[in-house]
Amino acid sequence: MAEESPFQSNLRGMYIFSDKEASVKKIFDHYDADKDGVLSPTEFSLMCYDLGTEMGDEEAQAAVALMDRDGDGKVVFEEVFEWWKSASNIFRMSDKKFAIAQFAIGLFRYYDTERQGYITKPQYEEGVAVLRETDHPEYAPWVDRAFEEFDCKDVDGWVTMNEFMAHVLELYFPEHEAEEAARVAEHQ
């Protein structure tokens, strides 16, 4: 059997979550690498990357401290889920936006075979070629999009996850940026 390309492997791993609590539990369990029932700052940072937000070590430590409601230095599922439902959750979205965001994150991760947090035009074009070969109807809207469409914030020749997510959400929800700005202003 021929060795699977990183794009084919990533394509197999794409999915859309439809239930928020079940999604959070599935994500929590996946990133709880040592299966101790606790998310460490490193595990949380990896989870954030896969959910569409890059986070440095200090940011991850601060976020974990924020979620640790009982102050025991451990962040268990219940605390993560409580945070997930709160206004301080950086991933908080309506069910419809959440489903689209999960698809977009999966699509970005599919292109980002090196897990660098950005994609280049050659990576994008190679991934599009594989998607086109699948001839799958869900990918049809994505195979005709130009790389430059996603490199829309700073036009620097590579697309970060944040650029990719912003563009996809704007495609589906033109009011998204204004809503997010209003939400942030409301909680300041």
Coordinates of all heavy atoms in Angstrom, one line a residue, residues 44-136:
F44 N -3.6 22.8 26.9 CA -4.6 23.8 26.5 C -4.1 24.6 25.3 O -4.9 24.9 24.4 CB -4.8 24.7 27.7 CG -5.8 25.8 27.4 CD1 -7.2 25.5 27.3 CD2 -5.5 27.1 27.2 CE1 -8.2 26.4 27.0 CE2 -6.4 28.1 26.9 CZ -7.8 27.7 26.8
S45 N -2.8 24.9 25.2 CA -2.3 25.6 24.1 C -2.4 24.8 22.8 O -2.8 25.4 21.7 CB -0.8 25.9 24.3 OG -0.2 26.6 23.2
L46 N -2.2 23.5 22.8 CA -2.4 22.7 21.7 C -3.8 22.6 21.2 O -4.2 22.7 20.1 CB -1.9 21.3 21.9 CG -0.3 21.1 22.1 CD1 0.0 19.7 22.6 CD2 0.4 21.4 20.7
M47 N -4.7 22.6 22.2 CA -6.1 22.6 22.0 C -6.5 23.9 21.3 O -7.3 23.9 20.3 CB -6.9 22.4 23.2 CG -8.4 22.4 23.0 SD -9.4 22.5 24.6 CE -9.4 24.2 24.9
C48 N -6.0 25.0 21.8 CA -6.4 26.3 21.2 C -5.9 26.4 19.7 O -6.6 26.9 18.9 CB -5.7 27.4 22.0 SG -6.6 27.7 23.6
Y49 N -4.7 25.9 19.4 CA -4.2 25.9 18.1 C -5.2 25.1 17.2 O -5.6 25.6 16.1 CB -2.8 25.3 17.9 CG -2.5 25.0 16.5 CD1 -2.0 26.1 15.7 CD2 -2.7 23.8 15.9 CE1 -1.8 25.9 14.3 CE2 -2.4 23.6 14.6 CZ -1.9 24.6 13.8 OH -1.7 24.4 12.5
D50 N -5.6 24.0 17.6 CA -6.5 23.2 16.8 C -7.9 23.7 16.7 O -8.7 23.4 15.8 CB -6.6 21.7 17.3 CG -5.3 20.9 17.0 OD1 -4.5 21.4 16.1 OD2 -5.1 19.9 17.5
L51 N -8.3 24.6 17.6 CA -9.6 25.3 17.6 C -9.5 26.6 16.9 O -10.5 27.3 16.8 CB -10.1 25.4 19.0 CG -10.6 24.1 19.6 CD1 -11.0 24.4 21.1 CD2 -11.7 23.5 18.9
G52 N -8.3 27.0 16.4 CA -8.3 28.2 15.6 C -7.6 29.4 16.2 O -7.6 30.5 15.7
T53 N -7.0 29.3 17.4 CA -6.3 30.4 18.0 C -4.9 30.0 18.5 O -4.8 29.1 19.4 CB -7.1 30.9 19.2 OG1 -8.4 31.3 18.8 CG2 -6.5 32.1 19.9
E54 N -3.9 30.6 18.0 CA -2.6 30.3 18.6 C -2.4 31.0 19.9 O -2.9 32.1 20.1 CB -1.5 30.8 17.6 CG -1.4 30.0 16.4 CD -0.2 30.3 15.5 OE1 0.9 30.0 15.9 OE2 -0.4 31.0 14.5
M55 N -1.7 30.3 20.8 CA -1.5 30.9 22.1 C -0.1 30.5 22.6 O 0.3 29.4 22.6 CB -2.6 30.2 23.1 CG -2.7 30.8 24.4 SD -4.1 30.2 25.3 CE -5.4 31.1 24.6
G56 N 0.6 31.5 23.1 CA 1.9 31.3 23.6 C 1.9 30.7 25.0 O 0.8 30.6 25.6
D57 N 3.0 30.3 25.6 CA 3.1 29.7 26.9 C 2.5 30.6 28.0 O 1.7 30.1 28.8 CB 4.6 29.4 27.3 CG 5.2 28.3 26.4 OD1 4.4 27.5 25.8 OD2 6.4 28.2 26.3
E58 N 2.9 31.8 28.0 CA 2.3 32.7 29.1 C 0.8 32.9 29.0 O 0.1 32.9 30.0 CB 3.1 34.1 29.1 CG 4.5 34.0 29.5 CD 5.2 35.4 29.5 OE1 4.5 36.4 29.4 OE2 6.4 35.4 29.6
E59 N 0.4 33.0 27.7 CA -1.1 33.2 27.5 C -1.8 31.9 28.0 O -2.9 32.0 28.6 CB -1.4 33.4 26.1 CG -0.9 34.8 25.6 CD -1.0 34.9 24.0 OE1 -0.5 34.0 23.4 OE2 -1.5 35.9 23.6
A60 N -1.3 30.8 27.7 CA -1.9 29.5 28.0 C -1.9 29.3 29.6 O -2.9 28.9 30.1 CB -1.1 28.3 27.4
Q61 N -0.8 29.7 30.2 CA -0.8 29.7 31.7 C -1.8 30.6 32.3 O -2.5 30.2 33.3 CB 0.6 30.0 32.2 CG 1.6 28.9 31.9 CD 3.1 29.3 32.3 OE1 3.3 30.4 32.6 NE2 3.9 28.3 32.2
A62 N -2.0 31.8 31.8 CA -3.0 32.7 32.3 C -4.4 32.2 32.0 O -5.2 32.3 32.9 CB -2.8 34.1 31.6
A63 N -4.6 31.6 30.9 CA -5.9 31.1 30.6 C -6.3 29.9 31.5 O -7.4 29.8 32.0 CB -6.0 30.6 29.1
V64 N -5.3 29.0 31.7 CA -5.5 27.9 32.6 C -5.8 28.4 34.0 O -6.7 27.9 34.7 CB -4.4 26.9 32.6 CG1 -4.4 25.9 33.7 CG2 -4.4 26.2 31.2
A65 N -5.1 29.4 34.5 CA -5.3 30.0 35.8 C -6.7 30.6 35.9 O -7.4 30.5 36.9 CB -4.3 31.0 36.1
L66 N -7.2 31.2 34.8 CA -8.5 31.8 34.8 C -9.6 30.7 34.9 O -10.6 30.9 35.6 CB -8.7 32.6 33.4 CG -10.1 33.1 33.2 CD1 -10.4 34.3 34.1 CD2 -10.2 33.5 31.7
M67 N -9.4 29.6 34.3 CA -10.4 28.5 34.3 C -10.4 27.7 35.6 O -11.4 27.1 36.0 CB -10.1 27.5 33.2 CG -10.5 28.0 31.8 SD -10.3 26.8 30.5 CE -8.5 26.8 30.3
D68 N -9.3 27.8 36.3 CA -9.1 27.0 37.6 C -9.9 27.7 38.7 O -9.4 28.4 39.6 CB -7.6 26.9 38.0 CG -7.4 26.1 39.2 OD1 -8.3 25.4 39.6 OD2 -6.3 26.2 39.7
R69 N -11.2 27.4 38.7 CA -12.1 28.1 39.6 C -11.9 27.8 41.1 O -12.1 28.6 42.0 CB -13.6 27.8 39.3 CG -14.0 28.3 37.9 CD -14.2 29.7 38.0 NE -14.7 30.2 36.7 CZ -14.6 31.4 36.2 NH1 -13.9 32.3 37.0 NH2 -15.0 31.8 35.1
D70 N -11.5 26.5 41.4 CA -11.3 26.2 42.8 C -9.9 26.4 43.3 O -9.6 26.1 44.4 CB -11.8 24.7 43.1 CG -11.0 23.7 42.3 OD1 -10.0 24.1 41.6 OD2 -11.4 22.5 42.3
G71 N -9.0 26.9 42.4 CA -7.7 27.2 42.8 C -6.8 26.1 43.2 O -5.7 26.3 43.9
D72 N -7.1 24.9 42.8 CA -6.3 23.7 43.1 C -5.1 23.5 42.2 O -4.4 22.6 42.3 CB -7.1 22.5 43.3 CG -7.7 22.0 41.9 OD1 -7.6 22.7 40.9 OD2 -8.4 20.9 41.9
G73 N -5.0 24.4 41.2 CA -3.9 24.3 40.2 C -4.1 23.3 39.1 O -3.2 23.0 38.3
K74 N -5.3 22.7 39.1 CA -5.7 21.8 38.0 C -7.0 22.2 37.3 O -7.9 22.8 37.9 CB -6.0 20.4 38.7 CG -4.8 19.8 39.4 CD -5.2 18.5 40.1 CE -4.0 18.0 40.9 NZ -4.4 16.8 41.6
V75 N -7.0 22.0 36.0 CA -8.2 22.4 35.2 C -8.8 21.1 34.7 O -8.3 20.4 33.8 CB -7.8 23.3 34.1 CG1 -9.1 23.7 33.3 CG2 -7.2 24.6 34.6
V76 N -9.9 20.7 35.4 CA -10.7 19.5 35.0 C -11.8 19.9 34.0 O -12.1 21.0 33.7 CB -11.3 18.9 36.2 CG1 -10.2 18.4 37.2 CG2 -12.2 19.8 37.0
F77 N -12.4 18.8 33.4 CA -13.4 19.0 32.4 C -14.5 20.0 32.8 O -14.9 20.9 32.0 CB -14.0 17.7 31.9 CG -15.2 18.0 31.0 CD1 -14.9 18.4 29.7 CD2 -16.5 17.8 31.4 CE1 -16.0 18.6 28.8 CE2 -17.5 18.1 30.6 CZ -17.3 18.5 29.3
E78 N -15.0 19.9 34.0 CA -16.1 20.7 34.4 C -15.7 22.2 34.4 O -16.5 23.1 34.0 CB -16.6 20.3 35.8 CG -17.3 19.0 35.9 CD -16.3 17.8 35.8 OE1 -15.1 17.9 36.0 OE2 -16.8 16.7 35.5
E79 N -14.5 22.5 34.8 CA -14.0 23.9 34.7 C -13.8 24.4 33.3 O -14.1 25.5 33.0 CB -12.7 24.0 35.5 CG -12.9 23.8 37.0 CD -11.6 23.7 37.8 OE1 -10.6 23.0 37.3 OE2 -11.5 24.3 38.9
V80 N -13.3 23.5 32.4 CA -13.2 23.9 31.0 C -14.6 24.1 30.4 O -14.8 25.1 29.7 CB -12.4 22.8 30.2 CG1 -12.4 23.1 28.7 CG2 -11.0 22.7 30.7
F81 N -15.5 23.2 30.7 CA -16.8 23.4 30.2 C -17.5 24.6 30.7 O -18.2 25.4 29.9 CB -17.7 22.1 30.4 CG -19.0 22.2 29.7 CD1 -19.1 22.3 28.3 CD2 -20.2 22.2 30.4 CE1 -20.3 22.3 27.6 CE2 -21.4 22.2 29.7 CZ -21.4 22.3 28.4
E82 N -17.3 25.0 32.0 CA -17.9 26.2 32.5 C -17.3 27.4 31.8 O -18.0 28.3 31.4 CB -17.6 26.3 34.0 CG -18.1 27.5 34.7 CD -17.7 27.6 36.2 OE1 -17.7 26.5 36.8 OE2 -17.5 28.7 36.7
W83 N -16.0 27.4 31.6 CA -15.3 28.5 30.8 C -15.9 28.5 29.4 O -16.1 29.6 28.9 CB -13.8 28.3 30.9 CG -13.1 29.1 29.9 CD1 -12.8 30.4 30.0 CD2 -12.6 28.7 28.6 NE1 -12.1 30.9 28.9 CE2 -12.0 29.9 28.0 CE3 -12.7 27.6 27.8 CZ2 -11.5 29.8 26.7 CZ3 -12.1 27.5 26.6 CH2 -11.5 28.6 26.0
W84 N -16.0 27.3 28.8 CA -16.5 27.3 27.4 C -17.8 28.0 27.2 O -18.1 28.7 26.2 CB -16.7 25.8 27.0 CG -16.9 25.6 25.6 CD1 -18.2 25.6 24.9 CD2 -16.0 25.4 24.5 NE1 -18.0 25.4 23.6 CE2 -16.7 25.3 23.3 CE3 -14.6 25.3 24.5 CZ2 -16.1 25.1 22.1 CZ3 -14.0 25.1 23.3 CH2 -14.7 25.0 22.1
K85 N -18.7 27.9 28.2 CA -20.0 28.5 28.2 C -20.0 30.0 28.5 O -21.0 30.7 28.3 CB -21.0 27.8 29.1 CG -21.3 26.3 28.7 CD -22.3 25.6 29.5 CE -21.9 25.6 31.0 NZ -22.8 24.9 31.8
S86 N -18.9 30.5 29.1 CA -18.9 31.8 29.6 C -18.5 32.8 28.5 O -18.1 32.5 27.4 CB -17.8 31.9 30.7 OG -16.5 31.9 30.1
A87 N -18.7 34.1 28.9 CA -18.5 35.2 27.9 C -17.0 35.3 27.7 O -16.6 35.9 26.7 CB -19.0 36.5 28.5
S88 N -16.1 34.8 28.6 CA -14.7 35.0 28.4 C -14.1 33.9 27.5 O -12.9 33.9 27.1 CB -13.9 34.9 29.7 OG -14.1 33.7 30.4
N89 N -14.9 33.0 27.0 CA -14.5 32.0 26.1 C -14.2 32.6 24.7 O -15.0 33.2 24.1 CB -15.6 30.9 25.9 CG -15.2 29.9 24.8 OD1 -14.2 29.9 24.2 ND2 -16.1 28.9 24.7
I90 N -12.9 32.5 24.3 CA -12.5 33.1 23.0 C -13.1 32.4 21.8 O -13.1 32.9 20.7 CB -11.0 33.1 22.9 CG1 -10.4 31.7 23.1 CG2 -10.4 34.1 23.9 CD1 -8.9 31.6 22.9
F91 N -13.7 31.2 22.0 CA -14.3 30.4 20.9 C -15.8 30.5 20.9 O -16.5 29.9 20.1 CB -13.9 28.9 21.0 CG -12.5 28.7 21.2 CD1 -12.0 28.2 22.4 CD2 -11.6 29.1 20.2 CE1 -10.6 28.0 22.5 CE2 -10.2 28.9 20.4 CZ -9.7 28.4 21.5
R92 N -16.4 31.3 21.8 CA -17.9 31.4 21.9 C -18.5 31.9 20.6 O -18.3 33.0 20.1 CB -18.3 32.3 23.1 CG -19.7 32.2 23.5 CD -19.9 33.0 24.8 NE -21.3 33.0 25.1 CZ -21.9 32.0 25.8 NH1 -21.3 31.0 26.1 NH2 -23.2 32.1 26.1
M93 N -19.4 31.1 20.1 CA -20.1 31.4 18.9 C -21.5 30.7 18.9 O -21.7 29.8 19.7 CB -19.4 30.8 17.6 CG -18.0 31.3 17.5 SD -17.2 30.5 16.0 CE -15.6 31.2 16.1
S94 N -22.4 31.2 18.0 CA -23.7 30.5 17.8 C -23.4 29.1 17.3 O -22.3 28.8 16.8 CB -24.5 31.3 16.9 OG -24.0 31.2 15.5
D95 N -24.4 28.2 17.4 CA -24.3 26.9 16.9 C -23.9 26.8 15.4 O -23.0 26.1 15.0 CB -25.5 26.1 17.1 CG -25.8 25.7 18.6 OD1 -24.9 25.8 19.4 OD2 -27.0 25.4 18.9
K96 N -24.5 27.7 14.6 CA -24.2 27.7 13.2 C -22.8 28.2 12.9 O -22.0 27.6 12.1 CB -25.2 28.6 12.5 CG -25.2 28.5 11.0 CD -26.3 29.2 10.3 CE -26.2 29.1 8.8 NZ -27.3 29.8 8.2
K97 N -22.4 29.3 13.6 CA -21.0 29.8 13.4 C -20.0 28.7 13.9 O -18.9 28.5 13.4 CB -20.8 31.1 14.2 CG -21.2 32.3 13.4 CD -20.8 33.5 14.2 CE -21.4 34.8 13.6 NZ -21.1 36.0 14.3
F98 N -20.3 28.1 15.0 CA -19.5 27.1 15.6 C -19.2 25.9 14.6 O -18.1 25.5 14.4 CB -20.1 26.5 16.9 CG -19.2 25.6 17.7 CD1 -18.1 26.1 18.4 CD2 -19.4 24.2 17.7 CE1 -17.3 25.2 19.1 CE2 -18.6 23.4 18.4 CZ -17.5 23.9 19.1
A99 N -20.3 25.5 14.0 CA -20.2 24.4 13.0 C -19.3 24.8 11.8 O -18.4 24.1 11.3 CB -21.5 23.9 12.5
I100 N -19.5 26.0 11.3 CA -18.7 26.6 10.2 C -17.3 26.7 10.6 O -16.3 26.4 9.9 CB -19.3 27.9 9.6 CG1 -20.7 27.7 9.0 CG2 -18.3 28.5 8.6 CD1 -20.7 26.7 7.8
A101 N -17.1 27.3 11.8 CA -15.7 27.4 12.4 C -15.0 26.1 12.5 O -13.8 26.0 12.2 CB -15.7 28.2 13.7
Q102 N -15.7 25.1 13.0 CA -15.0 23.8 13.1 C -14.6 23.2 11.7 O -13.5 22.7 11.6 CB -16.0 22.8 13.8 CG -16.1 23.0 15.2 CD -14.8 23.0 16.0 OE1 -14.0 22.1 15.9 NE2 -14.5 24.1 16.7
F103 N -15.5 23.4 10.7 CA -15.1 23.0 9.4 C -13.9 23.8 8.9 O -12.9 23.2 8.3 CB -16.3 23.2 8.4 CG -15.9 22.8 7.0 CD1 -15.9 21.4 6.7 CD2 -15.6 23.7 6.0 CE1 -15.5 21.0 5.4 CE2 -15.2 23.3 4.8 CZ -15.2 22.0 4.4
A104 N -13.9 25.1 9.1 CA -12.8 26.0 8.7 C -11.5 25.6 9.4 O -10.4 25.5 8.8 CB -13.1 27.4 8.9
I105 N -11.6 25.3 10.7 CA -10.4 24.9 11.4 C -9.8 23.6 10.9 O -8.6 23.4 10.6 CB -10.7 24.7 12.9 CG1 -10.9 26.1 13.5 CG2 -9.6 24.0 13.6 CD1 -11.6 26.1 14.9
G106 N -10.8 22.6 10.6 CA -10.3 21.4 10.0 C -9.7 21.6 8.6 O -8.7 21.0 8.3
L107 N -10.2 22.5 7.9 CA -9.7 22.8 6.5 C -8.3 23.4 6.7 O -7.4 23.1 6.0 CB -10.7 23.7 5.8 CG -10.4 23.9 4.3 CD1 -10.5 22.5 3.6 CD2 -11.4 24.9 3.7
F108 N -8.2 24.4 7.6 CA -6.9 25.0 7.8 C -5.8 23.9 8.3 O -4.7 23.9 7.7 CB -6.9 26.1 8.9 CG -5.6 26.8 9.1 CD1 -5.2 27.9 8.3 CD2 -4.7 26.3 10.0 CE1 -4.0 28.5 8.4 CE2 -3.5 26.9 10.2 CZ -3.1 28.0 9.4
R109 N -6.2 23.1 9.2 CA -5.3 22.1 9.7 C -4.9 21.1 8.6 O -3.8 20.6 8.5 CB -5.9 21.3 10.9 CG -6.0 22.1 12.1 CD -6.6 21.4 13.3 NE -5.8 20.2 13.6 CZ -6.2 19.1 14.0 NH1 -7.5 18.9 14.1 NH2 -5.4 18.1 14.3
Y110 N -5.9 20.9 7.7 CA -5.6 20.0 6.5 C -4.5 20.6 5.7 O -3.5 19.9 5.3 CB -6.9 19.9 5.7 CG -6.7 19.4 4.3 CD1 -6.4 18.1 4.0 CD2 -6.8 20.3 3.3 CE1 -6.2 17.7 2.7 CE2 -6.7 19.9 2.0 CZ -6.3 18.6 1.7 OH -6.2 18.2 0.4
Y111 N -4.5 21.9 5.4 CA -3.5 22.6 4.7 C -2.2 22.7 5.4 O -1.1 22.6 4.9 CB -3.9 24.0 4.2 CG -5.0 24.0 3.2 CD1 -6.2 24.7 3.5 CD2 -4.9 23.4 2.0 CE1 -7.2 24.8 2.6 CE2 -6.0 23.5 1.1 CZ -7.1 24.2 1.4 OH -8.1 24.2 0.5
D112 N -2.3 22.9 6.7 CA -1.1 23.1 7.6 C -0.5 21.8 8.0 O -0.5 21.4 9.2 CB -1.5 24.0 8.8 CG -0.3 24.4 9.7 OD1 0.9 24.2 9.2 OD2 -0.5 24.8 10.8
T113 N 0.1 21.1 7.0 CA 0.6 19.7 7.3 C 1.8 19.7 8.2 O 2.0 18.8 8.9 CB 1.1 19.1 6.0 OG1 2.1 19.9 5.3 CG2 -0.1 18.9 5.0
E114 N 2.5 20.9 8.3 CA 3.7 20.9 9.2 C 3.3 21.4 10.6 O 4.1 21.5 11.5 CB 4.7 21.9 8.6 CG 5.1 21.6 7.2 CD 6.1 20.4 7.2 OE1 7.0 20.3 8.1 OE2 5.9 19.5 6.3
R115 N 2.0 21.8 10.8 CA 1.5 22.4 12.1 C 2.3 23.6 12.5 O 2.7 23.7 13.7 CB 1.5 21.3 13.2 CG 0.6 20.1 13.0 CD -0.9 20.6 13.0 NE -1.8 19.5 12.9 CZ -2.4 19.1 11.8 NH1 -2.2 19.6 10.7 NH2 -3.2 18.1 11.9
Q116 N 2.5 24.5 11.6 CA 3.3 25.7 11.9 C 2.5 26.9 12.3 O 3.0 27.9 12.7 CB 4.1 26.1 10.6 CG 5.1 25.0 10.2 CD 5.8 25.3 8.8 OE1 5.1 25.7 7.9 NE2 7.1 25.2 8.8
G117 N 1.2 26.8 12.1 CA 0.3 27.9 12.4 C 0.1 28.8 11.2 O -0.6 29.8 11.4
Y118 N 0.6 28.5 10.1 CA 0.4 29.2 8.9 C 0.5 28.3 7.7 O 1.1 27.2 7.8 CB 1.4 30.4 8.7 CG 2.8 30.0 8.6 CD1 3.4 29.7 7.3 CD2 3.6 29.9 9.7 CE1 4.7 29.3 7.2 CE2 5.0 29.5 9.6 CZ 5.5 29.2 8.3 OH 6.8 28.8 8.2
I119 N 0.0 28.7 6.5 CA 0.1 28.0 5.3 C 0.7 28.9 4.2 O 0.5 30.1 4.2 CB -1.2 27.4 4.8 CG1 -2.3 28.4 4.7 CG2 -1.7 26.2 5.8 CD1 -3.6 27.9 4.2
T120 N 1.4 28.2 3.3 CA 2.0 29.0 2.2 C 1.2 28.7 0.9 O 0.4 27.7 0.9 CB 3.5 28.5 2.0 OG1 3.5 27.1 1.7 CG2 4.3 28.8 3.2
K121 N 1.5 29.4 -0.1 CA 0.8 29.2 -1.3 C 1.0 27.8 -1.9 O 0.1 27.1 -2.3 CB 1.1 30.3 -2.4 CG 0.3 30.2 -3.6 CD 0.5 31.4 -4.5 CE -0.5 31.4 -5.7 NZ -0.4 32.6 -6.5
P122 N 2.3 27.3 -1.9 CA 2.5 25.9 -2.4 C 1.7 24.9 -1.6 O 1.2 23.9 -2.2 CB 4.0 25.7 -2.3 CG 4.6 27.1 -2.4 CD 3.6 28.0 -1.7
Q123 N 1.7 25.0 -0.3 CA 0.9 24.1 0.6 C -0.5 24.1 0.2 O -1.2 23.1 0.1 CB 1.1 24.5 2.1 CG 2.3 24.1 2.7 CD 2.4 24.6 4.1 OE1 2.3 25.8 4.4 NE2 2.5 23.7 5.1
Y124 N -1.0 25.4 0.1 CA -2.5 25.6 -0.3 C -2.8 24.9 -1.6 O -3.8 24.1 -1.7 CB -2.8 27.1 -0.3 CG -4.2 27.3 -0.7 CD1 -5.2 27.2 0.3 CD2 -4.5 27.7 -2.0 CE1 -6.5 27.5 -0.1 CE2 -5.9 28.0 -2.3 CZ -6.9 27.9 -1.4 OH -8.1 28.1 -1.7
E125 N -2.0 25.2 -2.6 CA -2.2 24.6 -3.9 C -2.1 23.1 -4.0 O -2.9 22.5 -4.6 CB -1.3 25.3 -5.0 CG -1.7 26.8 -5.2 CD -0.7 27.5 -6.1 OE1 0.4 27.0 -6.3 OE2 -1.1 28.7 -6.5
E126 N -1.2 22.5 -3.2 CA -1.1 21.1 -3.2 C -2.3 20.5 -2.5 O -2.9 19.5 -3.0 CB 0.2 20.7 -2.4 CG 0.4 19.2 -2.4 CD 1.7 18.8 -1.7 OE1 2.6 19.7 -1.4 OE2 1.8 17.6 -1.4
G127 N -2.8 21.1 -1.4 CA -3.9 20.7 -0.7 C -5.2 20.8 -1.6 O -6.0 19.9 -1.6
V128 N -5.3 21.9 -2.3 CA -6.5 22.1 -3.2 C -6.5 21.0 -4.3 O -7.6 20.4 -4.6 CB -6.5 23.5 -3.8 CG1 -7.4 23.5 -5.0 CG2 -6.9 24.5 -2.8
A129 N -5.4 20.6 -4.8 CA -5.3 19.6 -5.8 C -5.8 18.2 -5.3 O -6.6 17.5 -5.9 CB -3.9 19.4 -6.3
V130 N -5.4 17.9 -4.0 CA -5.9 16.7 -3.4 C -7.4 16.7 -3.2 O -8.2 15.8 -3.4 CB -5.2 16.4 -2.1 CG1 -5.8 15.2 -1.4 CG2 -3.7 16.1 -2.4
L131 N -7.9 17.9 -2.7 CA -9.4 18.1 -2.5 C -10.1 17.9 -3.8 O -11.2 17.3 -3.8 CB -9.7 19.4 -1.9 CG -9.4 19.6 -0.4 CD1 -9.7 21.1 0.0 CD2 -10.1 18.7 0.5
R132 N -9.6 18.5 -4.8 CA -10.2 18.4 -6.1 C -10.4 17.0 -6.6 O -11.4 16.6 -7.1 CB -9.5 19.3 -7.1 CG -10.2 19.5 -8.5 CD -9.5 20.4 -9.4 NE -9.8 21.8 -9.0 CZ -9.0 22.7 -8.6 NH1 -7.7 22.5 -8.6 NH2 -9.4 23.9 -8.3
E133 N -9.3 16.2 -6.3 CA -9.3 14.8 -6.7 C -10.4 14.0 -6.0 O -10.9 13.0 -6.5 CB -8.0 14.1 -6.5 CG -6.9 14.6 -7.4 CD -5.5 14.0 -7.0 OE1 -5.4 13.1 -6.2 OE2 -4.5 14.6 -7.6
T134 N -10.8 14.4 -4.8 CA -11.8 13.6 -4.0 C -13.1 13.7 -4.7 O -14.0 12.9 -4.5 CB -11.9 14.1 -2.6 OG1 -12.5 15.4 -2.5 CG2 -10.6 14.0 -1.8
D135 N -13.4 14.9 -5.4 CA -14.6 15.1 -6.1 C -15.8 15.1 -5.1 O -16.9 14.7 -5.4 CB -14.8 14.2 -7.2 CG -15.8 14.7 -8.2 OD1 -16.0 15.9 -8.4 OD2 -16.5 13.9 -8.9
H136 N -15.5 15.4 -3.8 CA -16.5 15.4 -2.8 C -17.3 16.7 -2.8 O -16.7 17.8 -2.8 CB -15.9 15.2 -1.4 CG -16.8 14.9 -0.3 ND1 -17.7 15.8 0.2 CD2 -17.1 13.7 0.3 CE1 -18.4 15.2 1.2 NE2 -18.1 13.9 1.2

